[in-house]
């Protein structure tokens, strides 16, 4: 961290590629540092010049007489690795590399050379392929003629233009800004998790905003986010949300972008709040860094119009938040304040009341103090009607121009006193005409022009509060097994095999405590008859082959088989069909299992996400799995709390409660299954993919009917 401290708080900066041409980056970077208040030493570096902007210029960083902490590099890509080696010789802590022309354009070997040079020279790199960086409070403005809006949010972005856009958003809000604006670029050296680690400890930073396309070490990032999010909120936008977007992300940053649903589920697990609109990053971060967190999802609404009440209630329901009933005591108290009012339930509509302090302070306080309420949204024309709607000449004589401002002061004091969040959605916000609303924004009560933005902020506050209350019960994201504990998996690797048969997969699962339905392997028709006799009930018979994945398509499945003759005929048909389907397929025999009664069909599986590593999934399974696409994800390993949250995220979770004649799913047993899968995968790092579909829930509990394990045949111990 000491080296990063020097890099992010430099006492001296070398500009490599300094220029006397005012149109070049090597010129106006120095100009920016000089005119915008950087107090350290600046050393232009270019062998063509004796001076730049009146400062002595040097042929190389090795010729600079003083100690340098940071080099800003803007020279052609092919010269950058050697320059980094020279930076190492000169004792420079790190470099911000504006230069493009590396992996993002197919020059992977040049980028590998750059990374090797940085390791050998012990120089930390920001970039390459970035607009630059801005260490705002130190006045280290390296964005090329641009200054980031100052404030207390740390920004990490993989797009220079997005960083600029977010700074503009902050400038427009007038109440938030940034302590750091860091371009990540190709992430050749310093990784996302290291930036997050630094900002987590940085005293001028209260929260972190991130624009992410893809990252090299998502697992370490989750581990660091888990730690930082307990102290500072983290808000992200993950781009590449479509197939086209993911392809664009690859070409932009030469990085792999994981599936958005998978990655964002892991983010939430770690305490990060992901957003599906980049425009929400700044307003949501404002709420998370200025408001008290909410203890739950129960939002009360106070308004002066029925239309606003209806629209806001709809937005709250869409967001998955709750409009709670106010207690009888609260409603009686409100009735005492009003002779006539359209509605004093939730949403509370106080249209027609002339006493603004009663409307926007007394009423708000009584609502906020209700034990059923976790947060309050005030919407409509509060605190600005006269100031914004009437001209100065039209103001009635008895109106006190300071009245609404005094109410705003009391509201901010109330938030501190009660300790619950209040946000405003005001129709005056875009006009910028209300001194009362300005006061609220500047003193920790966010004001938003759009109701959906206000509701998203409240949802973030509720989710963050929930995370903080359960952070110790969630995954630590550590997967560090150095060997595969299961001998079958180890044997398959030695044999160079990547697919386990259903028989092998079920055996592995059963050995790890998973509820696999009874099964036996028959190598001959006689063995199949003997097994069916032992089961004494109709059976399912399936080809057992590591080379035949789609068994039904191969004619390798027979159901409801009973009786010796039927068993023999089914055995012969399965073997014949399999041989015709794939003559080269390795066949172990025929798997025989008792038929399981109808029930709710679920899917449980594991995928190895390219960005964050092993992830478990659970959802509605069977033949409808692709059509319904109703699954939840968590990064492994999972805890009991993770597993229960996962199950609650399934949209069709009402099915788990046993619709019509179906039995209810034993959620405790499903949790145990997810924990056993977590243990299996984390203790066998060669597992690439696991598909368990269906898992059938019957009156007797869960039964795994089919399973397939894929492993990395080239896996080697670390």
């Amino acid at each position: 961290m000491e080296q990063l401290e020097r890099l992010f708080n430099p006492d001296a900066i070398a500009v490599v590629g300094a220029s006397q041409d005012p149109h070049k980056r090597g010129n106006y970077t120095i100009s920016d540092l000089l005119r915008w208040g950087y107090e350290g030493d600046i050393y232009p570096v270019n062998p063509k010049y004796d001076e730049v902007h009146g400062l002595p210029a040097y042929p190389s960083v090795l010729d600079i007489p003083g100690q340098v902490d940071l080099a800003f590099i803007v020279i052609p890509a092919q010269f950058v690795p050697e320059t980094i080696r020279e930076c190492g010789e000169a004792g420079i802590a790190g470099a911000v590399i504006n230069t493009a022309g590396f992996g993002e354009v197919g020059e992977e070997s040049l980028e590998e050379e750059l990374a090797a040079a940085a390791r050998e020279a012990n120089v930390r790199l920001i970039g390459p392929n970035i607009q630059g960086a801005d260490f705002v409070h130190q006045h280290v403005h390296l964005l090329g003629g641009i200054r980031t809006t100052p404030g207390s949010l740390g920004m990490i972005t993989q797009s220079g233009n997005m960083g600029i856009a977010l700074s503009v958003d902050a400038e427009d809000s007038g109440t938030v800004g940034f302590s750091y604006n860091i371009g990540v670029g190709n992430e050749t050296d310093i990784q996302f998790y290291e930036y997050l680690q630094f900002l987590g400890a940085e005293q001028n930073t209260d929260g972190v905003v991130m624009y992410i396309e893809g990252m090299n070490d998502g697992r370490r990032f989750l581990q660091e986010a888990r730690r930082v999010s307990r102290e500072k909120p983290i808000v992200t936008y993950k781009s590449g949300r479509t197939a086209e977007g993911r392809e664009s992300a690859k070409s932009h940053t030469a990085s792999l972008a994981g599936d958005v649903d998978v990655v964002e589920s892991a983010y939430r697990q770690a305490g990060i709040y992901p957003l599906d609109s980049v425009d929400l990053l700044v307003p949501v971060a404002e709420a998370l860094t200025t408001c008290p967190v909410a203890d739950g999802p129960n939002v009360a609404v106070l308004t002066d119009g029925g239309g606003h009440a209806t629209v806001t209630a709809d937005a709250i329901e869409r967001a998955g938040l709750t409009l709670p009933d106010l207690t009888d005591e609260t409603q009686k108290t409100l009735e005492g304040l009003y002779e006539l009012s359209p509605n004093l339930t939730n949403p509370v509509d106080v249209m027609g009341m002339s006493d603004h302090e009663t409307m926007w302070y007394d009423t708000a306080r009584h609502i906020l103090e209700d034990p059923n309420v976790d947060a309050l949204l005030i919407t409509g024309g509060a605190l600005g009607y006269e100031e914004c709607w009437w001209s100065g000449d039209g103001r009635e004589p008895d109106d006190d121009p300071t009245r609404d401002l005094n109410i705003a002061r009391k509201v901010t004091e109330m938030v501190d006193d009660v300790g619950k969040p209040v946000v405003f959605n005001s129709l005056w916000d875009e006009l910028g005409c209300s001194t009362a609303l300005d006061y609220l924004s500047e003193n920790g009560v966010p004001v938003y022009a759009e109701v959906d933005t206000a509701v998203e902020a409240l949802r973030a506050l509720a989710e963050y509060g929930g995370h903080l209350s359960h952070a110790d019960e969630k995954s630590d994201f550590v997967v560090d097994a150095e060997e595969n504990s299961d001998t079958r998996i180890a044997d398959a690797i030695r044999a160079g095999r990547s697919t386990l048969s259903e028989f092998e997969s079920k055996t592995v699962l059963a050995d790890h405590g998973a509820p696999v339905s009874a099964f036996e392997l028959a190598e001959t028709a006689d063995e199949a008859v003997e097994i069916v006799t032992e089961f004494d009930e109709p059976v399912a018979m399936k080809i057992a082959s590591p080379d035949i994945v789609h068994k039904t398509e191969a004619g390798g499945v027979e159901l409801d088989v009973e009786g010796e003759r039927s068993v023999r005929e089914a055995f012969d048909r399965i073997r014949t069909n399999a041989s015709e389907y794939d003559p080269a397929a390795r066949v172990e025999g025929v798997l025989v299992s008792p038929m399981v009664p109808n029930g709710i069909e679920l899917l449980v599986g594991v995928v190895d996400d390219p960005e964050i590593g092993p992830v478990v999934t659970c959802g509605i399974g069977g033949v409808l799995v692709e059509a319904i696409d109703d699954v939840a994800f968590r990064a492994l390993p999972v805890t009991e709390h993770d597993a229960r949250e996962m199950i609650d995220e399934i949209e069709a979770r009402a099915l788990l409660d046993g619709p019509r004649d179906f039995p209810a799913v034993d959620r405790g047993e499903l949790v145990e299954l997810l924990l056993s899968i977590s243990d299996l995968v984390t203790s066998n790092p060669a597992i690439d993919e696991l598909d368990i579909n269906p898992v059938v829930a019957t009156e007797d509990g869960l039964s795994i009917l089919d399973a397939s394990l894929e492993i990395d045949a080239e896996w080697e111990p670390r």
Side-chain angles (χ1 to χ4, degrees), residues 328-363:
D328 292 341
E329 181 181 354
T330 299
Q331 292 191 51
K332 287 178 182 177
T333 301
L334 295 180
E335 288 169 4
L337 297 178
Y338 298 89
E339 293 182 7
L340 294 172
S341 184
N343 183 35
L344 294 178
T345 60
N346 187 20
V348 176
D349 183 352
V350 295
M351 183 179 68
M353 181 67 171
S354 60
D355 185 340
H356 283 208
E357 184 163 336
T358 298
M359 292 169 66
W360 306 123
Y361 173 70
D362 294 330
T363 304

Side-chain angles (χ1 to χ4, degrees), residues 84-85 88 113-123:
I84 293 301
R85 295 186 186 97
E113 182 186 353
L114 174 61
R119 287 192 300 271
E120 295 162 6
N122 192 28
V123 176

Side-chain angles (χ1 to χ4, degrees), residues 149-153 167 169-171 173-178 282-283 285-287 289-290:
T149 305
S152 61
L153 296 174
S167 179
D169 289 347
E171 185 73 27
S173 79
T175 57
V176 293
F178 298 94
V282 168
E286 176 187 6
T289 53
T290 60

Side-chain angles (χ1 to χ4, degrees), residues 625-680:
V625 60
E626 292 184 3
I628 295 178
D629 191 22
D630 185 7
V631 293
F633 304 94
R634 287 295 184 277
L636 292 175
V638 294
T639 64
E640 180 178 342
H641 179 82
D642 292 329
R644 291 192 181 280
E645 274 196 334
M646 237 180 125
I647 295 168
D648 288 341
E649 282 182 14
I650 298 172
E651 292 182 10
R653 54 188 171 276
L655 289 174
L656 307 183
D657 297 326
R660 296 190 178 181
D661 297 329
F662 287 99
V665 175
D666 185 332
R667 296 194 182 205
E669 192 173 354
L670 183 53
V671 168
E672 289 301 318
L673 170 57
L674 292 169
L675 293 176
S676 69
I677 297 305
S678 177
D679 177 69
L680 166 63

Side-chain angles (χ1 to χ4, degrees), residues 130-205:
I130 59 172
Q131 177 76 14
D134 197 347
F135 312 155
V136 184
H137 298 297
Q138 297 88 335
H139 303 292
V140 179
H141 303 297
L142 303 174
L143 287 174
I146 297 163
R147 283 192 297 180
T148 302
T149 305
S152 61
L153 296 174
M155 185 200 309
I156 309 171
T157 174
Q158 274 179 303
S159 165
N161 281 347
M162 286 308 309
I164 295 168
L166 293 173
S167 179
V168 171
D169 289 347
E171 185 73 27
D172 286 345
S173 79
T175 57
V176 293
F178 298 94
S179 56
Y180 286 86
N181 179 346
I182 303 170
V184 175
N186 293 7
E187 203 185 4
T188 302
D189 175 46
I190 302 178
Q191 305 293 293
F192 263 98
Y193 74 86
E194 294 179 280
Y195 293 116
L196 187 58
Q197 182 182 39
F198 172 78
L199 293 175
E202 208 278 323
Q203 62 180 1
N204 291 316
T205 302

